[in-house]
Amino acid sequence: MQNTISEEFSDFNNQAAVQPCDRPWSTGLFDCFSDKDTCFSAFFLPNGIQSLTLTEWKGTNFFLNYFFASTTLFYHETRLQYHLEGNACTDCLIGCCCGCCAIGRILRERKNRKAESTAIMK
């Protein structure tokens, strides 16, 4: 049976309590033009890009992600997964007020972390 969103959120909060979230993000919130493809995708197709990324990451339904996924929750989950600096308050402010920048930062972070893990495996 699949977890509900509140159960997943609770799981991430429990993980955060075990390990401190103090690693720096690999890029700044407004470093949009460091990766122009990600910048334009996040600006012109934010829901589609967020939904595609969530579908690849969690294996969830693209259309449900498109209509019901929260940028704030996605930002929060990414920060906790990689133990990045910040807190729930900043996650909420960034997700609500700077949605396109938040999605761009998440995409850049995931891309950079994937590149790091690939380099380590070689």
Side-chain angles (χ1 to χ4, degrees), residues 31-44 100 104 108:
D31 288 346
C32 298
F33 293 106
S34 64
D35 180 359
K36 290 181 178 69
D37 291 339
T38 299
C39 173
F40 291 123
S41 298
F43 184 75
F44 290 110
C100 293
R108 289 190 308 272

Side-chain angles (χ1 to χ4, degrees), residues 12-26:
F12 278 105
N13 282 336
N14 291 339
Q15 290 173 7
V18 174
Q19 297 181 355
C21 294
D22 57 358
R23 295 180 185 166
W25 288 82
S26 62

Side-chain angles (χ1 to χ4, degrees), residues 4-79:
T4 65
I5 291 174
S6 62
E7 289 171 338
E8 288 183 19
F9 191 71
S10 175
D11 290 345
F12 278 105
N13 282 336
N14 291 339
Q15 290 173 7
V18 174
Q19 297 181 355
C21 294
D22 57 358
R23 295 180 185 166
W25 288 82
S26 62
T27 62
L29 181 61
F30 302 110
D31 288 346
C32 298
F33 293 106
S34 64
D35 180 359
K36 290 181 178 69
D37 291 339
T38 299
C39 173
F40 291 123
S41 298
F43 184 75
F44 290 110
L45 303 166
N47 286 7
I49 295 300
Q50 175 177 302
S51 301
L52 182 63
T53 305
L54 277 169
T55 301
E56 290 173 355
W57 179 32
K58 292 186 165 196
T60 53
N61 184 289
F62 176 84
F63 293 104
L64 289 176
N65 290 334
Y66 188 86
F67 292 107
F68 300 109
S70 161
T71 301
T72 300
L73 185 57
F74 187 32
Y75 192 86
H76 181 74
E77 289 177 344
T78 301
R79 185 181 60 76

